[in-house]
Amino acid sequence: MRIKPGTYFLIFLMLLMLYIMGTALTWEAFEPKRILLLVGSAIFILATVELVRELRTKGRTPVAAETRLQEKAETKTKWRRFGLIMTWVLGFLLSIYLLGFLVSIPIFVFSYLKAHGRGWLVSVAFAAIMEAFTYVVFVRLLYIWLYKGLLFSL
Amino acid sequence: MVDAFFQGAANIVRPEFLAVIAVGTLIGVIAGVLPTITGMVAAALLLPFVLGMPKEIAVLLLIGVLSTQETGGSITSILLNVPGTGLNAATLLDGFPMNQRGEGARAIGAALTSSVFGGVIAVGMALLMLPVVIPAVLAFHTGDMVLLILLGLCLLAIIVRGSAIKGMIAGLLGVMVAAIGFYVETGTDRFTWGSTYLYEGLGIIPVTVGLFGVSTLLGLLIEGMPTIARGPERTSIKAILVGAKDVWHHRWLWLRSTIIGYVVGVLPGAGGSVATFTAYAHAKQTSKHPELFGTGNVEGVIAPESANNAKDAGALLTTLVFGIPGSAQMVIIIAALYAVGVFPGPLMVTQQLDLTFTLLIGIAVANIIAVIYCLGAAPYLAKLAHTPMDFLFPVVLVLVFVGTFADQTTMTGVVTALIFGLLGLLMIMLEYNRAAFILGFVLGSLFEHNLWLALKLQGPLFFMSPISIALILIIILMFTLPLLRKAFTRHKGVKKV
């Protein structure tokens, strides 16, 4: 019996449905809990069926040690890339929260391009284009107020 | 009626009316191309400016914006896997894989061709249906709407690839997520945890953009893909024309999808997503190669694109005749009509028939102009698929963050898009169908609300009307048809032997 990542997800889903249905049962009125109980139990049953299927599935056919090592290395690389990308994404989000959109956008675009080996001219030009586009389209044409950032709102 | 038709048609060819439609269409296409900035946002912003205009010009401008946003949105769906509007979510299922194969221009050609002809033919259907539209729409009760939406939910079983159980789980999860918010009917808070953002429920924009756009972007970067496209560059006009020819090869599918889109558009509150996903599921069910759907089958682009443009004519007809918005976009049209002193209702088919014809024909003209704009830009836009990810990633991320913020002017929308982006990534890794999730999300709240209404108005036997019974039979047929087909093919094989 082999535990795959999907198995944990199914177990999590089942627990989540139990929590949702349990909470819904505490409500007085029936109408708001109707769809939650119906859909929650359907998901619970389907997840149980899929869980049983996954647990009964034999492990994959044995592979050569070399291939397994390669796969492990690829997985490690993917996790590393994921960590890097999320650092950029969360960093951008944090800078928007602190500095606002119009300050963060050129900083993010410039630093991302520079960090990925692009030249100064290209990085600056692209950052300027993105900033101009955002300002012209969203602020001037669409009159959308863009968040100014915590530091500039004090 | 014939006189009114010619009067309406004569109005449209006036230079000032054509110019207004051209301007509105340009705004609509651009709004559709920009992820999350839909035609509805653009039209709502234009509303204060149209107040001083003559009534035909005011409404034609907004019709130009609203009826062509999906045409522009198809481009972003195909090229970036980010639906330009929520109605383009079905297009990216096959449009983006085509783009990854280097056939982005072909997919755009197919999308634009099916859009324009779908929009134009639907206008023709609306014009023909004018004399009978009132009794036809009145025959549809709330209980029938419940069954129609249930039909839409049952499409989950058809549109999923791979594990049907996982597809159903994904779809039902979408229904669950749609339940978050304030349940208006009884005043119950459902999993809002005191958040004012969650009070109104999760918005379709951050959920869709996150689930498709953000997750695909993250997925490509994790895989180390240098560009979106995996195939050679084929971005010429010739490639676009190949896509246009595809529509001719699948003309009967295109026609059926147009009819589906139009019929769903006529029904108030059915929603454009019901039209597009129904058309997509129908295309898959009737295709000779259903196993190719989701991998870049041009039929999966033709069907939803013809449906989403066709629905506008049906929705406008219902809006004008009943004063009830036939779709979410038509809310803006109603607001504009009232603002310029036109009151939609049965008088629109008696005393103001020429205006009705002008507006309907305006949709057809807007669709044609939209395609001209898009055809001019398409070969250049298709090159996006071969743009290095170093450039695409910051551009798309900025558009996603700004767009989702603009949706409700709150950073919570941005965080929501990011959370659903991570969920979408997880769903890709674990092979859960994201389209099924979105379908469940869109239809879930609609289904629940109409069910509540139907039970209150018609009682537990709401499904006993002739239309409801017909819809139940269609649902049964939908599930049994593939089995019957299999059995028939097997029987034929045995006979040959």
Side-chain angles (χ1 to χ4, degrees):
Chain A
M1 193 173 79
R2 191 166 171 267
I3 309 279
K4 293 186 275 189
T7 313
Y8 294 111
F9 180 67
L10 288 165
I11 294 170
F12 166 75
L13 265 184
M14 290 164 70
L15 292 171
L16 183 64
M17 292 306 117
L18 287 174
Y19 165 72
I20 289 171
M21 289 193 288
T23 308
L25 284 169
T26 62
W27 300 335
E28 272 184 42
F30 176 68
E31 283 94 344
K33 53 187 168 197
R34 178 171 45 210
I35 200 106
L36 295 176
L37 293 176
L38 195 65
V39 172
S41 20
I43 293 176
F44 188 87
I45 292 166
L46 288 169
T48 309
V49 169
E50 184 67 17
L51 183 66
V52 168
R53 243 170 44 127
E54 284 207 358
L55 291 174
R56 287 172 73 178
T57 306
K58 288 187 187 157
R60 47 183 196 164
T61 46
V63 294
E66 206 178 291
T67 314
R68 196 171 293 160
L69 273 170
Q70 210 176 347
E71 281 176 7
K72 258 190 173 165
E74 269 172 26
T75 309
K76 231 180 169 175
T77 307
K78 285 180 183 175
W79 274 110
R80 191 175 47 83
R81 283 185 191 136
F82 176 71
L84 264 169
I85 296 157
M86 286 313 295
T87 306
W88 280 105
V89 172
L90 293 172
F92 185 32
L93 194 61
L94 182 66
S95 80
I96 292 172
Y97 176 67
L98 293 172
L99 304 171
F101 280 95
L102 292 176
V103 173
S104 304
I105 286 169
I107 294 173
F108 166 69
V109 174
F110 172 80
S111 47
Y112 186 86
L113 287 172
K114 272 308 287 167
H116 285 78
R118 299 289 166 179
W120 281 93
L121 189 62
V122 165
S123 305
V124 168
F126 213 66
I129 290 168
M130 283 308 299
E131 174 75 352
F133 176 82
T134 307
Y135 180 73
V136 168
V137 172
F138 291 92
V139 179
R140 300 302 286 181
L141 290 178
L142 296 177
Y143 294 102
I144 291 171
W145 170 82
L146 289 179
Y147 178 61
K148 284 189 162 67
L150 187 69
L151 297 179
F152 293 106
S153 306
L154 291 171
Chain B
M1 188 172 272
V2 175
D3 288 340
F5 170 75
F6 283 114
Q7 181 62 49
N11 281 343
I12 279 295
V13 298
R14 284 163 60 176
E16 62 270 29
F17 284 12
L18 280 175
V20 152
I21 295 173
V23 169
T25 303
L26 182 63
I27 296 171
V29 166
I30 292 172
V33 165
L34 292 173
T36 78
I37 303 300
T38 61
M40 264 193 77
V41 170
L45 291 168
L46 282 171
L47 208 48
F49 299 101
V50 307
L51 291 180
M53 297 179 184
K55 56 180 189 272
E56 295 90 347
I57 287 184
V59 187
L60 281 173
L61 178 67
L62 296 176
I63 280 175
V65 173
L66 291 168
S67 57
T68 58
Q69 55 168 337
E70 300 97 348
T71 309
S74 65
I75 292 177
T76 331
S77 297
I78 290 165
L79 296 181
L80 299 175
N81 208 42
V82 175
T85 74
L87 298 165
N88 298 110
T91 307
L92 54 80
L93 298 178
D94 278 276
F96 185 68
M98 283 184 75
N99 186 37
Q100 285 188 297
R101 270 205 314 259
E103 290 185 315
R106 181 186 170 196
I108 291 172
L112 295 180
T113 311
S114 39
S115 292
V116 67
F117 286 116
V120 170
I121 295 299
V123 166
M125 287 195 273
L127 295 173
L128 290 171
M129 215 179 134
L130 264 171
V132 300
V133 68
I134 294 177
V137 176
L138 286 176
F140 233 84
H141 298 131
T142 315
D144 304 326
M145 283 301 297
V146 175
L147 269 305
L148 180 70
I149 298 164
L150 184 62
L151 172 69
L153 282 169
C154 290
L155 300 174
L156 287 170
I158 297 167
I159 65 169
V160 296
R161 292 182 67 237
S163 167
I165 292 179
K166 282 185 172 178
M168 292 301 297
I169 290 175
L172 291 171
L173 262 178
V175 175
M176 243 346 176
V177 168
I180 294 173
F182 184 68
Y183 188 70
V184 170
E185 287 83 350
T186 56
T188 310
D189 260 337
R190 292 197 299 196
F191 302 102
T192 61
W193 296 295
S195 162
T196 47
Y197 178 78
L198 292 177
Y199 214 63
E200 288 181 24
L202 290 165
I204 180 73
I205 301 289
V207 169
T208 317
V209 168
L211 207 65
F212 285 101
V214 175
S215 64
T216 305
L217 196 64
L218 294 177
L220 287 169
L221 288 166
I222 288 168
E223 290 294 325
M225 296 287 296
T227 61
I228 289 174
R230 291 177 181 142
E233 190 174 318
R234 282 192 284 260
T235 55
S236 60
I237 292 283
K238 208 176 169 185
I240 294 174
L241 288 174
V242 169
K245 273 191 203 155
D246 286 324
V247 178
W248 172 253
H249 287 142
H250 299 285
R251 55 192 178 276
W252 298 117
L253 168 65
W254 159 80
L255 184 63
R256 292 194 305 270
S257 302
T258 300
I259 293 170
I260 289 170
Y262 173 76
V263 168
V264 173
V266 164
L267 301 170
S273 297
V274 174
T276 54
F277 278 102
T278 305
Y280 183 86
H282 169 74
K284 187 175 176 183
Q285 254 199 333
T286 54
S287 172
K288 287 182 184 147
H289 300 285
E291 72 283 358
L292 294 178
F293 275 71
T295 66
N297 187 337
V298 75
E299 293 171 84
V301 172
I302 292 169
E305 281 302 311
S306 41
N308 71 19
N309 280 62
K311 68 142 191 23
D312 289 321
L316 182 63
L317 190 62
T318 308
T319 304
L320 292 175
V321 172
F322 292 97
I324 302 168
S327 66
Q329 291 94 317
M330 293 298 150
V331 169
I332 308 287
I333 298 295
I334 285 188
L337 286 169
Y338 275 102
V340 297
V342 175
F343 300 103
L347 291 178
M348 295 297 290
V349 289
T350 51
Q351 293 175 15
Q352 301 216 62
L353 196 53
D354 56 329
L355 177 62
T356 303
F357 278 122
T358 303
L359 299 180
L360 283 170
I361 297 169
I363 289 182
V365 173
N367 272 279
I368 294 168
I369 296 175
V371 163
I372 294 170
Y373 287 145
C374 291
L375 276 174
Y380 307 101
L381 291 173
K383 287 183 192 294
L384 276 174
H386 298 272
T387 307
M389 287 299 291
D390 296 344
F391 289 101
L392 272 185
F393 172 67
V395 169
V396 174
L397 197 66
V398 166
L399 285 177
V400 164
F401 276 15
V402 176
T404 46
F405 175 82
D407 181 46
Q408 284 176 295
T409 29
T410 165
M411 285 301 289
T412 322
V414 180
V415 174
T416 305
L418 199 54
I419 291 171
F420 277 91
L422 293 171
L423 175 65
L425 193 62
L426 187 65
M427 289 176 81
I428 295 170
M429 280 164 46
L430 300 177
E431 294 172 6
Y432 284 85
N433 194 292
R434 293 170 291 163
F437 182 97
I438 287 295
L439 186 62
F441 179 76
V442 168
L443 297 182
S445 48
L446 214 56
F447 175 76
E448 194 183 9
H449 176 67
N450 279 280
L451 179 65
W452 179 83
L453 265 179
L455 287 169
K456 288 281 176 207
L457 295 171
Q458 295 167 254
L461 295 176
F462 64 85
F463 54 88
M464 294 303 286
S465 72
I467 294 175
S468 290
I469 291 170
L471 287 168
I472 291 169
L473 288 171
I474 292 172
I475 291 171
I476 294 170
L477 202 65
M478 225 166 61
F479 285 102
T480 55
L481 198 66
L483 298 166
L484 288 169
R485 210 191 260 168
K486 239 186 211 167
F488 179 70
T489 317
R490 213 179 295 142
H491 174 73
K492 238 177 143 183
V494 166
K495 247 185 146 180
K496 266 193 183 154
V497 169

